[in-house]
Amino acid sequence: MLLAEVIIPLAVEGAYSYEVPEALRVNCPELAPGCRVVVPFGSKRYYTGVVRNLVEEGEPRKVKSVEQILDARPLVSAEVLGLWDWLSYYYVCPLGSVLRVALPSGLLPESKTTLSLNPNFSSDAPLTATEVQVLDTLSSLGGQAVLVDRLEKLLGRRLTNPILHLVALGAVITEEELQHSYRPRLVRYLSLEPRLQEDETALSEVYAGLTRAPRQAMVLESFLRLLEQSGQSHSGSLHRSLLLEHLPQSTAPLRALINKGILKEVLAPKSRLELREEEEITQSLPSVPPLEKPVSLYWAKTIRAKEEYLLAQVKQTLQAGGQVLFLTPTVNPTPSSFSFLSRLMRLSAGQTYTYHSLLSEALRVETFTRLSSFTEPALVIGTRAAVFLPLARLSLVVLDEEQEYLYKQQINQPLYHARDVALWRANQCGAKVLLASTTPSAEVVFHALRGKYALIRDEREDITPTVSLPRLTPIDLKGLRRSKDMPYGYALSPYIYDRMKAVLAEGKAVLLLQNRRGYAPYLLCNACNARILCPHCDVSLSYHQARGMLLCHYCGYTESLPEACPHCGATEVETKRGRIPALRQVGYGVERVEEEVQRLFPEQSVVRIDSDSLASRKKQLELQARLENEGADILVGTQLIKGQSVWGEVGLIGVVQLDAVLGYPDFRSYERAFQLLTQLRLRGAEQKGGKPEFLIQTNDAENTFLSVLEEGDYEAFIRKTLSDREALHYPPFCRMTYIYLKGKDARLLGLVGLHLVRYLRALLPSEQVSEALSPEVGRVDGKYIQRILVRRPLGTSYREERVAFRASLAQLHTTLPESRRVTILFDVDPL
């Protein structure tokens, strides 16, 4: 018997064995690892998995059978399957979780439960009101099968328990139905009936028989003429819409020809991919030597120099016949004609593919399937998920702005970093990796300085002229408030207000950075001093005025803005200035800054750029159209603002609150702040309208970070950072892994933490394993959290550590079976 080891797209370890029936083997003789198959899993559910291996066994054994083979040839190559195995091992997560991330969900259809009434049901057992409502709803639908989620939507509530009871009674019948979220686009083609395609005499007779139907004869004549114009014989086909363009308004003559058996209409799939034929770049690109080492860091002086160098390397690779994977932190839906991405797309002679979350599921599916069999030179531009795309001739992987945190998956397993995945994949297939940045991360600089990566720095002034950065002017908010020159409740100081007026009067734009989402970070009651907290997390709810809601940034919980304090019930409090609302909005989010700017400059056009305004493809297109067509006088945004096409003539860049940039409790906070602000200064310095002013408001004007930032020497800063981290034994001088324990039972969570720490310390040096402690936010989405920190010294192989992780988990589940109620996640190399 032939067994297929199948990876199931669930958080389950390893692959599961299924028998391949003889009938399926005959119909799909090329079944091989990498093909998708539909298999049963559990009592009734069906999932689409990927064949990991095929094994011939002489002795038959009782296993479930493959239900359906979806691919005539492998969709996933052996190289990509090996990548999945490495990801599962390195990031300590189930192989099924890797499959979920690596393939578009449209390629993994799974079954959903449908319900229908049992016509023979009769019972005297009492039913609840909800169960009666379920039966009445199924009856009103004519007894047809309906999906459980649709039934729940109709009744407006969860129906798990009522349905289970009705199934047990035999009142309803359940079936599993495979649901395909991806549907190919079908278009109508017209062709002559087969008997007329080769028989000219028969075709002439048919044409002559239409003398009494001149409109039908005209349609047939148009069809044959268009076939000839397209270079096809009578056996060819024509897109129906092309013929309709040459017809009068009525389609009756065409329908008559189809009904008479003269023309035949067929449905055929048509790709949604529209590869644009871009004009080639006419300007000359710098001549660059080919990359020598497997991994190179291009540390650019200016953004323009970095872009020119990347264009030259990509063009060189494509001309040599290779495929290029170009990773970026974010991708605009439609890059403007003068942007770097637009210039990049013009390098590949039309073979450019984009891959990111803003694309429709259908486009992601068709991009994946197209690339799985594509061997010509091509350029793929995408975000971190694009690192999993099948590329048979991958020659170069580029990570632009490699320091960006968006390359790290932060929520769902595997918690991978696209840079590390790209390094491993390129090493396996012999491709080169090019990391590029004007402010590279400390880890990458460390490897470049010690020779592991090639360090490329173009020192020729004619190619990369030195750009002087805008001078920084700090504004002491604490001092201004102490001297009463700036009242509380305002985000903008009088000085920055005056400078904004002057710059706007010159016809230049103003850019304000406030790196905090929403309107206010939290609400405080003036009566009882209590904050409004998320009911599911140990954090305050943030107020988002654009939605009119309080929002939890951890679990997504929302609620309306209350009129009274939920703790003490107060609606107002008495003060020296009279009665005021009890609830006070504390702090400044980007929405609050936007409101203040609109109040101070009512005649100016104000645009906000943050994760809310860029949350969907539609919003991004609307924002881009507004910026390109109308422009903006004042731009207010979070750090996402630096990647937008706003750098025309900015006369002033203002950091509303430096403390919001530095305040993240992490050893990388100063590095991230330096990178962000240096990027803003560089973009401002390189714009055509001259250097802007750069003002920084802060509550800590004595912070030494300001003087270091003013000097603008990123290399000196990063070397000092590396020296400090070596003394404190932080990355890159060690590798870190956070082990998160999550559960609703705090007592069980503490017990599991104690056991797991003990097992880990028995296998690893005890000083490398911390106690299980609560992180800064100790409860998220109703689950308590504990975190174990494991450090691995530099130069030590990760394999010993992974063996210890898996062995400790196995021992934990054996000695403490209830530990399976606790979710355990490994965040390897956390950010």
Side-chain angles (χ1 to χ4, degrees):
M1 65 185 300
L2 179 64
L3 292 181
E5 296 177 358
V6 180
I7 307 170
I8 309 295
L10 297 172
V12 291
E13 294 288 349
Y16 288 75
S17 295
Y18 292 86
E19 181 185 1
V20 183
E22 187 63 32
L24 293 182
R25 295 175 65 177
V26 171
N27 293 330
C28 300
E30 295 187 26
L31 176 66
C35 289
R36 292 176 302 142
V37 292
V38 178
V39 295
F41 191 80
S43 57
K44 291 185 177 180
R45 297 297 300 272
Y46 290 85
Y47 291 93
T48 299
V50 173
V51 176
R52 182 67 190 88
N53 197 16
L54 291 170
V55 180
E56 284 280 3
E57 286 197 0
E59 293 293 329
R61 55 188 174 106
K62 189 174 181 181
V63 293
K64 295 179 180 180
S65 298
V66 172
E67 291 289 327
Q68 189 178 353
I69 300 174
L70 299 181
D71 301 315
R73 57 173 184 78
L75 182 70
V76 181
S77 67
E79 179 250 321
V80 174
L81 286 173
L83 176 69
W84 294 0
D85 284 336
W86 176 82
L87 250 94
S88 173
Y89 184 77
Y90 184 80
Y91 289 102
V92 200
C93 69
L95 195 54
S97 298
V98 176
L99 172 57
R100 272 288 185 202
V101 171
L103 258 61
S105 59
L107 289 174
L108 299 171
E110 59 188 56
S111 70
K112 290 189 176 181
T113 305
T114 61
L115 300 175
S116 57
L117 282 175
N118 182 359
N120 301 319
F121 170 71
S122 63
S123 174
D124 296 330
L127 301 178
T128 66
T130 303
E131 290 166 355
V132 172
Q133 193 178 10
V134 168
L135 295 177
D136 289 343
T137 303
L138 289 175
S139 178
S140 68
L141 294 172
Q144 65 179 358
V146 60
L147 290 171
V148 170
D149 52 2
R150 186 191 169 203
L151 187 63
E152 290 179 334
K153 190 173 182 180
L154 288 172
L155 298 183
R157 56 164 296 178
R158 295 281 294 175
L159 299 172
T160 304
N161 291 330
I163 288 174
L164 288 175
H165 187 227
L166 290 173
V167 170
L169 292 174
V172 296
I173 300 170
T174 63
E175 291 184 2
E176 290 296 312
E177 184 178 310
L178 200 65
Q179 299 292 309
H180 292 269
S181 61
Y182 166 72
R183 304 283 183 193
R185 175 193 285 175
L186 298 177
V187 294
R188 296 180 180 183
Y189 285 91
L190 298 168
S191 63
L192 286 171
E193 282 290 340
R195 63 185 176 84
L196 303 176
Q197 292 179 2
E198 304 296 335
D199 192 338
E200 291 288 343
T201 303
L203 181 60
S204 299
E205 292 174 355
V206 166
Y207 188 74
L210 295 175
T211 53
R212 305 182 68 178
R215 293 177 64 194
Q216 295 176 30
M218 182 188 68
V219 171
L220 180 58
E221 183 180 350
S222 297
F223 173 81
L224 295 173
R225 185 178 68 253
L226 290 170
L227 269 184
E228 183 180 354
Q229 290 176 357
S230 64
Q232 300 184 72
S233 66
H234 287 171
S235 60
S237 61
L238 199 67
H239 198 296
R240 186 174 184 269
S241 62
L242 182 61
L243 180 60
L244 291 178
E245 292 176 2
H246 296 76
L247 295 184
Q249 292 182 349
S250 173
T251 59
L254 175 59
R255 290 198 302 271
L257 290 175
I258 294 173
N259 292 335
K260 289 179 178 179
I262 299 172
L263 291 181
K264 181 177 65 174
E265 187 176 67
V266 294
L267 290 174
K270 181 182 179 182
S271 174
R272 295 175 173 85
L273 295 175
E274 297 178 359
L275 300 179
R276 296 177 294 180
E277 290 292 337
E278 302 276 7
E279 296 181 6
E280 290 190 11
I281 295 179
T282 55
Q283 70 182 79
S284 61
L285 294 173
S287 176
V288 295
L291 302 173
E292 296 180 357
K293 279 198 171 186
V295 185
S296 302
L297 166 64
Y298 182 70
W299 190 343
K301 287 182 178 180
T302 65
I303 294 170
R304 173 63 62 186
K306 181 197 68 175
E307 292 177 350
E308 296 297 314
Y309 183 84
L310 294 182
L311 288 170
Q313 285 290 357
V314 170
K315 183 176 183 179
Q316 187 173 276
T317 304
L318 292 172
Q319 288 177 340
Q323 295 175 337
V324 178
L325 175 59
F326 193 99
L327 299 179
T328 73
T330 58
V331 174
N332 291 327
T334 53
S336 61
S337 57
F338 301 106
S339 71
F340 168 64
L341 282 183
S342 180
R343 296 177 66 205
L344 185 64
M345 289 177 176
R346 294 201 291 270
L347 293 175
S348 65
Q351 290 298 337
T352 299
Y353 300 83
T354 56
Y355 194 84
H356 51 85
S357 60
L358 292 178
L359 291 179
S360 67
E361 184 63 27
L363 277 173
R364 290 200 294 273
V365 167
E366 293 189 10
T367 300
F368 195 100
T369 53
R370 170 77 66 85
L371 292 174
S372 67
S373 58
F374 196 76
T375 58
E376 298 300 314
L379 170 64
V380 178
I381 303 173
T383 50
R384 62 174 180 258
V387 77
F388 299 110
L389 288 173
L391 293 165
R393 296 177 59 187
L394 181 61
S395 300
L396 175 65
V397 182
V398 178
L399 269 85
D400 189 20
E401 299 298 328
E402 65 78 24
Q403 81 285 350
E404 286 291 341
Y405 73 95
L406 291 172
Y407 284 123
K408 180 76 159 71
Q409 169 78 340
Q410 303 280 6
I411 300 174
N412 299 319
Q413 288 185 300
L415 302 178
Y416 69 94
H417 197 299
R419 181 184 62 217
D420 296 330
V421 177
L423 291 172
W424 194 90
R425 181 177 183 183
N427 178 66
Q428 296 302 111
C429 67
K432 296 289 196 296
V433 177
L434 176 57
L435 311 173
S437 179
T438 53
T439 55
S441 61
E443 287 83 355
V444 168
V445 170
F446 171 72
H447 291 309
L449 291 177
R450 73 189 186 110
K452 183 177 180 180
Y453 302 162
L455 177 58
I456 304 171
R457 305 193 70 171
D458 209 330
E459 301 296 340
R460 288 174 52 188
E461 283 293 323
D462 59 327
I463 296 177
T464 58
T466 301
V467 174
S468 60
L469 299 175
R471 182 175 177 275
L472 301 183
T473 303
I475 300 172
D476 184 5
L477 295 179
K478 186 180 289 185
L480 288 172
R481 291 194 174 104
R482 191 184 301 119
S483 62
K484 298 186 178 179
D485 291 324
M486 179 179 176
Y488 285 95
Y490 285 82
L492 301 179
S493 65
Y495 182 78
I496 202 170
Y497 169 71
D498 291 340
R499 294 311 306 150
M500 288 174 68
K501 281 201 304 183
V503 167
L504 291 169
E506 295 173 3
K508 294 186 176 181
V510 173
L511 187 151
L512 298 177
L513 172 74
Q514 174 63 352
N515 206 32
R516 184 169 282 166
R517 291 172 58 196
Y519 185 86
Y522 63 93
L523 267 64
L524 184 70
C525 177
N526 288 317
C528 66
N529 272 337
R531 299 187 184 192
I532 299 183
L533 302 176
C534 174
H536 309 298
C537 310
D538 290 343
V539 294
S540 302
L541 292 175
S542 298
Y543 177 48
H544 284 242
Q545 191 176 60
R547 304 188 195 183
M549 305 288 285
L550 296 177
L551 172 67
C552 175
H553 291 166
Y554 282 80
C555 71
Y557 169 82
T558 60
E559 67 176 51
S560 301
L561 183 67
E563 295 181 0
C565 173
H567 300 282
C568 67
T571 57
E572 293 182 330
V573 293
E574 188 69 42
T575 68
K576 294 179 181 179
R577 296 171 294 177
R579 298 191 68 81
I580 62 172
L583 293 176
R584 174 165 54 97
Q585 295 153 4
V586 180
Y588 307 97
V590 67
E591 289 181 5
R592 192 168 186 176
V593 175
E594 177 193 24
E595 180 187 73
E596 185 172 326
V597 168
Q598 288 174 332
R599 186 174 66 249
L600 293 173
F601 300 94
E603 303 299 322
Q604 307 296 334
S605 169
V606 182
V607 172
R608 173 170 51 86
I609 299 177
D610 60 0
S611 57
D612 292 330
S613 64
L614 301 174
S616 66
R617 177 182 174 84
K618 180 181 178 182
K619 288 185 176 182
Q620 288 201 12
L621 290 173
E622 290 174 351
L623 176 65
Q624 185 174 324
R626 179 178 176 183
L627 290 175
E628 291 183 357
N629 299 329
E630 305 172 17
D633 300 316
I634 305 173
L635 297 139
V636 182
T638 61
Q639 63 181 338
L640 296 177
I641 203 168
K642 76 177 191 305
Q644 302 302 311
S645 304
V646 299
W647 302 95
E649 282 196 55
V650 176
L652 170 66
I653 299 175
V655 179
V656 177
Q657 203 172 30
L658 178 63
D659 314 83
V661 182
L662 294 176
Y664 191 78
D666 182 79
F667 68 91
R668 290 189 177 93
S669 60
Y670 275 40
E671 178 189 353
R672 288 176 176 171
F674 204 108
Q675 290 166 343
L676 171 61
L677 299 179
T678 301
Q679 292 270 338
L680 290 176
R681 294 176 78 188
L682 278 171
R683 290 185 182 277
E686 293 182 46
Q687 67 178 1
K688 295 179 180 179
K691 289 188 296 185
E693 297 180 58
F694 204 109
L695 308 180
I696 297 182
Q697 297 188 152
T698 177
N699 287 307
D700 184 10
E702 302 301 319
N703 193 330
T704 56
F705 176 80
L706 284 168
S707 58
V708 176
L709 182 65
E710 167 62 26
E711 294 173 5
D713 189 341
Y714 185 74
E715 182 171 351
F717 168 78
I718 211 69
R719 285 180 180 273
K720 176 64 166 59
T721 298
L722 287 171
S723 177
D724 293 341
R725 291 195 193 169
E726 183 177 20
L728 297 171
H729 196 51
Y730 275 122
F733 298 94
C734 76
R735 303 301 286 266
M736 293 170 54
T737 298
Y738 284 140
I739 305 176
Y740 286 98
L741 314 176
K742 302 181 180 181
K744 294 187 176 181
D745 186 337
R747 182 202 63 81
L748 176 60
L749 191 69
L751 186 62
V752 170
L754 288 172
H755 279 71
L756 185 55
V757 167
R758 187 166 73 245
Y759 298 148
L760 285 169
R761 285 178 173 173
L763 298 171
L764 297 171
S766 59
E767 67 273 9
Q768 295 180 18
V769 183
S770 76
E771 298 289 344
L773 304 172
S774 294
E776 295 81 13
V777 179
R779 186 173 63 104
V780 172
D781 201 14
K783 293 183 178 180
Y784 295 96
I785 302 174
Q786 287 195 349
R787 186 177 69 189
I788 302 169
L789 170 60
V790 180
R791 295 175 186 257
R792 176 166 54 86
L794 180 67
T796 305
S797 172
Y798 67 85
R799 300 187 184 280
E800 179 184 347
E801 191 180 65
R802 299 304 181 273
V803 169
F805 288 164
R806 295 183 182 276
S808 298
L809 280 181
Q811 190 174 2
L812 175 69
H813 291 155
T814 301
T815 58
L816 195 66
E818 58 266 38
S819 64
R820 294 185 180 276
R821 290 162 43 200
V822 173
T823 301
I824 301 177
L825 300 176
F826 291 81
D827 187 1
V828 178
D829 304 325
L831 290 183

